[in-house]
Amino acid sequence: MPVSPSLATAPPRTTAPVSPATAPPRPTGPASPATSCVPTSPVPTASDAALGLEARLAAVDALMTLRLEEAAVAHEVRTAHLAVDPVDLAEVITVPLAPARPPAAPAAYRTPAAALLERAHHHMRTAGWCAGALTDDDGSVCLLGALHAEAGGDQDLVVDASAILLDAIRRRFHDESVPAFNDRQRSGAVPERMLLEAARLADTRGR
């Protein structure tokens, strides 16, 4: 079919851009609520801020609790293969449940004065020796203090034992009294030995 000369020579149509001068005007004025892109919200009050803080604290507390529980479970899983021996409390607790009692005084002699001198020796050895007083603030005793401490208030027995003790002292030394001999010493070693010698002497005399 032959082509019409007008169609064959007609230039192609083009779409020209619309210039701002010819573009339709945009609507001006306040945007409607349906088309506005800026959200609107009421102004927060002090009570809303406090509620938000409490909610955040509660959320943090719940999160920490959850993490602690997860850590505890993970620890149990990691240590499940470890063998744990039972603990015997009798082996762990080594502190005495009751205060320790001092050892009992020996009883080698049966006569009253000899037994008292023996107990006085044990008392001095346990409590300690002192000079210048029957007893000091620490509980230490001199020769006569040891006799009084063990005599149970029997002054006649103290006098009898002191006389025998003075006899034993004078066999070795030249002191005129038991207190003078005691205060001349520098330690309790010699007074303790003299109490034992006096106990043996009292026993040989049947006292």
Side-chain angles (χ1 to χ4, degrees):
M1 181 178 182
V3 179
S4 172
S6 61
L7 295 176
T9 61
R13 295 182 178 181
T14 61
T15 303
V18 179
S19 64
T22 60
R26 294 184 180 181
T28 60
S32 62
T35 60
S36 177
C37 62
V38 179
T40 60
S41 59
V43 177
T45 62
S47 60
D48 295 337
L51 180 60
L53 178 59
E54 293 178 359
R56 289 195 297 271
L57 290 177
V60 172
D61 182 68
L63 180 61
M64 293 301 297
T65 302
L66 179 61
R67 290 182 177 178
L68 289 174
E69 292 177 354
E70 291 177 351
V73 172
H75 176 73
E76 291 181 0
V77 172
R78 288 194 301 267
T79 59
H81 65 284
L82 299 177
V84 180
D85 298 331
V87 178
D88 188 1
L89 294 180
E91 297 179 357
V92 176
I93 301 175
T94 58
V95 179
L97 299 179
R101 295 181 179 180
Y109 302 105
R110 301 298 181 184
T111 53
L116 174 58
L117 289 163
E118 184 183 30
R119 293 195 306 272
H121 167 266
H122 178 76
H123 187 97
M124 179 179 289
R125 191 170 188 179
T126 303
W129 170 84
C130 71
L134 291 177
T135 182
D136 62 9
D137 295 337
D138 296 330
S140 301
V141 292
C142 70
L143 285 170
L144 291 182
L147 291 175
H148 281 281
E150 294 294 331
D154 190 343
Q155 297 301 320
D156 293 337
L157 183 58
V158 172
V159 171
D160 191 18
S162 299
I164 299 174
L165 176 59
L166 183 58
D167 289 345
I169 291 172
R170 285 177 174 174
R171 289 186 175 191
R172 294 180 175 271
F173 308 96
H174 301 283
D175 292 276
E176 296 180 356
S177 66
V178 173
F181 168 78
N182 180 89
D183 295 346
R184 193 168 54 85
Q185 307 305 312
R186 296 184 178 180
S187 70
V190 176
E192 288 179 15
R193 186 170 70 248
M194 296 312 302
L195 284 170
L196 284 182
E197 291 189 9
R200 287 192 290 268
L201 180 60
D203 182 65
T204 58
R205 295 179 180 178
R207 297 168 59 184

